[in-house]
Amino acid sequence: MHSNQQHPYTEWVDLASRKLGGQVLSCSDDFFAEMENLIKPAEPVFIHDKYTDRGKWMDGWESRRKRVVGYDWAILKLGCQGRIKGFNVNTMHFAGNAPKQVSIEACNSRTAPDENTQWTTIVSQQDVQPTSNNFIDCESDGVWTHLRLNSFPDGGIARLRVYGEAVMDTDWFLPGEPVDLAFVKNGARPVECSDMFFSSMTNLIMPDRGINMGDGWETKRRRGGRECDWIIVKLAGTGTVKKVVVDTAHFKGNYPDGFSLLGISMPEGQHPGENADWQPIIERQKLTADAEHFYKDEVISGEQTFTHIKLNMYPDGGISRLRVFGFLAAE
């Protein structure tokens, strides 16, 4: 368990988020507050005088007081299968009604879990603090699709965040089909950027188009200093780059003047820095406001394979999404 102040998993993505397709499938009891609240994207809130027919309104999952032996549970489907690094069992605003302890089990299943599912414990039963962020390391490096959050003996949990790295489902792809190597659900992740003052670099590789200007990667207005802002993304696997989409959706008065794309191949477990020996993939191109920009003929890297890409954004501003389509190198 980590302290309440530290956030040890900032470099990892929340595999249970609704944005990736996460769902809460079932639970033992959500009498006071619905199980679906566990994966709401917003931070939990407390409304002092808000009540329902069942009691105090709470922004989380809350079961009734248990008067029999046992414990409560909720089953979640992750938005994509992945290796989990750690959790935040967030009990914010559950002061006199948080569980005493939790544990977390996992499985890998093509279908929804049932009574025959074999669960593996990945967080052993341990105390959690009320009205707190409870950061807990994962005890397994397996690849999981579903979780069961156990609450001992009962009570309320505001949010569950499941931090980790998506693992590509290679069975989904047809032979010879290009893959978005920079897509979060395929296992890509941003590792570093020059600046993300207004919005997170993780947004750049999320599914779908951005919903508003906050749902992209946006840097502050720079006054001098370096030539451009930049972001480094670890690709889903080693591969060639064949076509690229740069989407400036919703960025109208703050889209970048242009961008360029570079690549590098690094040994497993190593990440390149800003000044590594980057190879050009697409030379500098102009961008326009609030639009998707498509590049195929401009790709100059041929059959070179890359593990990481670096997007340079001139001079600053916001990009909503980046798609990097190519072919995985043969293992």
Side-chain angles (χ1 to χ4, degrees):
M1 178 85 74
H2 299 258
S3 80
N4 196 31
Q5 301 311 312
Q6 229 179 325
H7 189 326
Y9 312 119
T10 46
E11 67 183 292
W12 306 103
V13 68
D14 179 8
L15 298 174
S17 77
R18 284 197 57 83
K19 201 181 256 189
L20 294 193
Q23 289 176 278
V24 187
L25 299 179
S26 59
C27 69
S28 55
D29 175 26
D30 57 357
F31 183 88
F32 284 118
E34 298 81 13
M35 62 185 185
E36 289 85 357
N37 292 333
L38 275 172
I39 59 170
K40 275 168 66 173
E43 289 298 302
V45 298
F46 184 79
I47 302 174
H48 180 70
D49 56 354
K50 185 172 180 178
Y51 287 83
T52 73
D53 291 343
R54 294 191 168 199
K56 179 76 187 74
W57 178 89
M58 293 296 285
D59 189 9
W61 165 51
E62 187 185 2
S63 63
R64 71 195 94 195
R65 299 191 190 211
K66 197 166 285 301
R67 302 307 190 202
V68 293
V69 175
Y71 58 90
D72 286 309
W73 51 265
I75 292 176
L76 296 88
K77 177 183 182 293
L78 298 180
C80 46
Q81 66 174 6
R83 288 191 178 85
I84 300 168
K85 304 298 179 179
F87 301 89
N88 182 7
V89 180
N90 179 334
T91 57
M92 207 57 65
H93 310 302
F94 289 94
N97 49 351
K100 184 177 189 315
Q101 295 183 314
V102 298
S103 70
I104 300 173
E105 298 166 286
C107 71
N108 190 306
S109 174
R110 287 267 169 204
T111 56
D114 59 24
E115 63 275 9
N116 300 316
T117 298
Q118 296 290 305
W119 292 97
T120 300
T121 299
I122 61 171
V123 168
S124 46
Q125 191 171 336
Q126 57 189 271
D127 291 350
V128 288
Q129 300 305 309
T131 197
S132 297
N133 289 304
N134 294 279
F135 292 111
I136 305 171
D137 290 339
C138 181
E139 297 165 10
S140 160
D141 64 357
V143 176
W144 308 111
T145 59
H146 295 76
L147 301 177
R148 184 163 72 177
L149 171 63
N150 300 314
S151 166
F152 300 90
D154 55 36
I157 296 168
R159 299 286 188 270
L160 179 68
R161 304 294 189 223
V162 182
Y163 296 105
E165 187 170 30
V167 171
M168 188 186 302
D169 182 3
T170 50
D171 285 349
W172 174 243
F173 295 101
L174 302 172
E177 181 180 357
V179 172
D180 182 356
L181 297 169
F183 186 37
V184 63
K185 291 179 74 162
N186 288 339
R189 64 187 178 90
V191 291
E192 192 182 356
C193 70
S194 57
D195 176 73
M196 49 177 172
F197 185 86
F198 288 111
S199 47
S200 170
M201 63 181 181
T202 306
N203 292 334
L204 192 70
I205 62 169
M206 281 290 169
D208 308 318
R209 296 193 77 197
I211 56 170
N212 56 35
M213 203 176 79
D215 186 18
W217 167 52
E218 186 186 358
T219 67
K220 60 176 160 286
R221 300 186 190 207
R222 282 186 308 99
R223 309 298 191 218
R226 64 181 174 273
E227 180 190 17
C228 63
D229 280 315
W230 52 265
I231 183 171
I232 296 170
V233 176
K234 179 184 182 292
L235 297 176
T238 303
T240 57
V241 176
K242 297 299 184 185
K243 60 181 186 176
V244 171
V245 182
V246 178
D247 187 1
T248 58
H250 309 291
F251 290 102
K252 297 175 181 176
N254 50 357
Y255 66 94
D257 177 69
F259 85 99
S260 63
L261 191 69
L262 307 111
I264 199 169
S265 194
M266 299 292 288
E268 184 60 37
Q270 292 185 31
H271 295 306
E274 177 192 1
N275 298 313
D277 184 22
W278 293 97
Q279 304 300 306
I281 297 174
I282 298 177
E283 300 285 6
R284 184 167 174 174
Q285 307 286 328
K286 288 287 254 187
L287 291 170
T288 62
D290 191 29
E292 287 184 297
H293 305 77
F294 300 90
Y295 305 95
K296 181 164 69 74
D297 298 338
E298 297 83 355
V299 174
I300 57 174
S301 54
E303 294 305 310
Q304 271 184 282
T305 59
F306 304 107
T307 59
H308 296 71
I309 50 108
K310 181 186 180 198
L311 176 76
N312 286 333
M313 175 165 72
Y314 301 94
D316 55 27
I319 295 174
S320 180
R321 296 289 189 270
L322 174 69
R323 306 289 181 224
V324 178
F325 294 98
F327 297 102
L328 288 168
E331 288 301 322

